[in-house]
Amino acid sequence: MAPAMPPAEKLSESDLVEKISKGGGIPEKFILPKEHRPEVQLTRSSDEIPVIDMAGLDDQRREKTLAQIHKACLEWGFFQVINHGVDETVMEYMKEQVETFLSLPVHERAPGGIRKGVTSQGYGTGYVKPDTGARDWRDYFLLRTYPESMRDYETWPNRQSFRDAISKYTLEMKKLGERLLECLSINLGLSPNYLKEALGELHQDLLINHYPPCPDPSVAIGANKHTDLGGVTCLWQLDDVVGLQVLKDGEWYPVTPAPGAYIINVADMVELASNGIYKSIQHRAVVNPAKRRISIAAFYDLHPDAVVKPAPELVKADRPALPSVRFCDHAMKLAIETDKVGMKVLD
């Protein structure tokens, strides 16, 4: 039998953030229709998600490590990396600033809220999915960080130390994203710089997610199922609370983050550039009844007018070319075609 629904509540966005941050009851705006609710029990093991030691790229294990990355991209579209070269002092600085920020009362976190437009930025509550009508169970900070000319500092945290941490951290994510694209290019038999050049100027977004404890995880979702739009995504989970799930062969696999690891996933534009050899995989975030979860995702996105097409070398008689796509058209298509929400976006 479905759980009893709470009465409808009329709350402002800031009230919703305050309420979910305190772990109160579930406002109606967060309750999913029955057909969209996540399974509470999972039988699949998170140990099957590959964990790859990137230190091997710099020694005699290079070919083996590249092969591991290639296999993970072919079979999963997801993998974890350790010894990834991201400056540990920068990671700790960023973690400290995020945790300090989340300890503040809501009205002190970001008075400006979300500034909507072509590139929405700022602080707010979870997105509303067109097919469910329900908000994601989270509050978040979304920032455009590259190119630097796109930074809207009026929406950034109003603490200089946090801004400094974000600048340092996103530079590290830029370097990691570029290194991963180089590995993928080599594995596809392309020149090392092929994917970086094919995707064009980096338009990096940084998404800081806070998933508060949820009284009933069976009726709410932290982030609904989706694929990422751009090149690659580098996700850092700041705690050991399992929430990310990856869809493979019709089943959801929870991802238990390895200590200090980044969870990497192939996104839509790399699937297109690889002519479908690498797959952009659906994933979602479920919530926990007792613990909060914090993650930071760095998205290697593209200029809105960037046009991506399959690498000519990867087009074969038995693998015809996928149609080219302008990045902003792809993003808009996902946003307005409600029947595509939660489906494989390049289908």
Side-chain angles (χ1 to χ4, degrees), residues 13 22 47 52 105 111 130 147 155 167 180 189 214 252-253 269 297 326:
E13 183 161 288
K22 291 181 177 178
D47 294 338
I52 299 170
T155 66
S167 293
L180 289 164
C214 179
W252 289 102
Y253 289 73
M269 294 300 101
R326 190 168 70 138

Side-chain angles (χ1 to χ4, degrees), residues 98-99 102-103 210-213 239 241 288 290-294:
V98 169
E99 291 179 340
L102 290 174
S103 71
H210 171 230
Y211 304 95
D239 46 51
V241 180
N288 189 287
K291 298 179 180 179
R292 75 176 186 179
R293 176 172 169 261
I294 304 169

Side-chain angles (χ1 to χ4, degrees), residues 146-149 196-197 199-204 300-303 306:
Y146 281 98
E148 293 186 38
S149 60
K196 180 181 176 183
E197 293 173 357
L199 299 182
E201 182 184 24
L202 169 65
H203 275 57
Q204 183 191 72
Y300 199 107
D301 283 341
L302 287 64
H303 187 285

